[in-house]
Amino acid sequence: MITCTVEAVLGDITKLSVDAIVNAANSSLLGGGGVDGAIHRAAGPELLAECRRIAEARRDVEGGPCPAGEAVITGAYKLPCRKIIHTVGPVWYGGSRGEPALLASCYRNSIILARDSACHSIAFPNISTGVYGYPKELAVAVAIDAVMETLPKTPSITKLVFVCFDRVNLDLYNEKLGIRN
Ligand code: APR
């Protein structure tokens, strides 16, 4: 039984005042381009300082500081949300290197981390579908299936938003969520 509203919107994730937004980070946790760059620019330098501290504490993690599929949480600083969950999506190599399972782990681990941090609303970007090259039409199925499988175990999460940055992704999400415009 899912008691969470799930929707897809077109917009800039840095503007959302949900409890937690999810960042499509890289394993260094030290920022980058895409949504990672947008979040760091909007949050300000204190975010990078906290990410550096976390990266230093996790410097011995194999494939780390944050391996693909895992997630860490920080403050949100100048952003309107309360927390930022940094998760690292898989780079797309054609689908035979465990990419679907790693991408599903990003959504599952981020929701669990949000629950454990008393966040009741969470917003995701379209993880791995930019620089990391994951085909959008494949990623949407993995993302929604992982979310629908996890939400029944995290009833404290009452709002989940897929924030699309392009119309193609929005239409794919709405189609998969069964919403006809
Ligand atoms: N709000 C919402 N979505 C955004 C925003 C934004 N402000 N900016 C970009 N996006 C979208 C992209 O259009 C894409 O659909 O986020 C999705 C994820 O794309 P990327 O940000 O490129 O992330 P990803 O494909 O997971 O690659 C991660 O890119 O930026 C680097 O440091 C990051 O190395 C990591 C890699």
Side-chain angles (χ1 to χ4, degrees):
M1 166 75 174
I2 290 183
T3 56
C4 176
T5 60
V6 178
E7 63 174 339
V9 299
L10 193 64
D12 177 350
I13 202 168
T14 66
K15 308 289 190 211
L16 291 194
S17 53
V18 291
D19 286 345
I21 65 168
V22 176
N23 179 23
N26 61 60
S27 293
S28 76
L29 292 175
L30 300 181
V35 69
D36 196 4
I39 287 172
H40 275 273
R41 279 192 301 278
E46 293 170 291
L47 174 59
L48 183 57
E50 183 175 2
C51 287
R52 280 206 180 101
R53 290 194 295 274
I54 293 172
E56 177 57 25
R58 295 168 60 105
R59 67 180 181 281
D60 297 331
V61 170
E62 189 178 342
C66 187
E70 294 190 19
V72 299
I73 194 165
T74 67
Y77 304 102
K78 294 179 181 169
L79 289 180
C81 59
R82 197 158 59 78
K83 292 287 184 184
I84 304 170
I85 292 168
H86 307 260
T87 193
V88 179
V91 176
W92 178 255
Y93 289 109
S96 58
R97 294 199 196 179
E99 299 96 320
L102 285 170
L103 185 59
S105 296
C106 288
Y107 288 89
R108 182 173 54 251
N109 288 332
S110 295
I111 291 171
I112 288 167
L113 203 42
R115 176 201 62 190
D116 294 350
S117 307
C119 295
H120 302 295
S121 53
I122 183 171
F124 284 96
N126 309 135
I127 299 166
S128 279
T129 67
V131 169
Y132 281 0
Y134 209 114
K136 296 180 184 344
E137 65 283 356
L138 298 180
V140 62
V142 171
I144 291 176
D145 289 351
V147 160
M148 294 308 180
E149 182 192 306
T150 308
L151 285 176
K153 305 169 198 164
T154 57
S156 61
I157 304 286
T158 56
K159 180 179 180 180
L160 187 144
V161 185
F162 291 107
V163 184
C164 302
F165 211 51
D166 57 76
R167 190 84 215 175
V168 170
N169 263 314
L170 180 66
D171 291 346
L172 286 168
Y173 273 84
N174 280 333
E175 185 181 347
K176 177 78 177 171
L177 290 170
I179 298 168
R180 298 276 179 262
N181 296 337

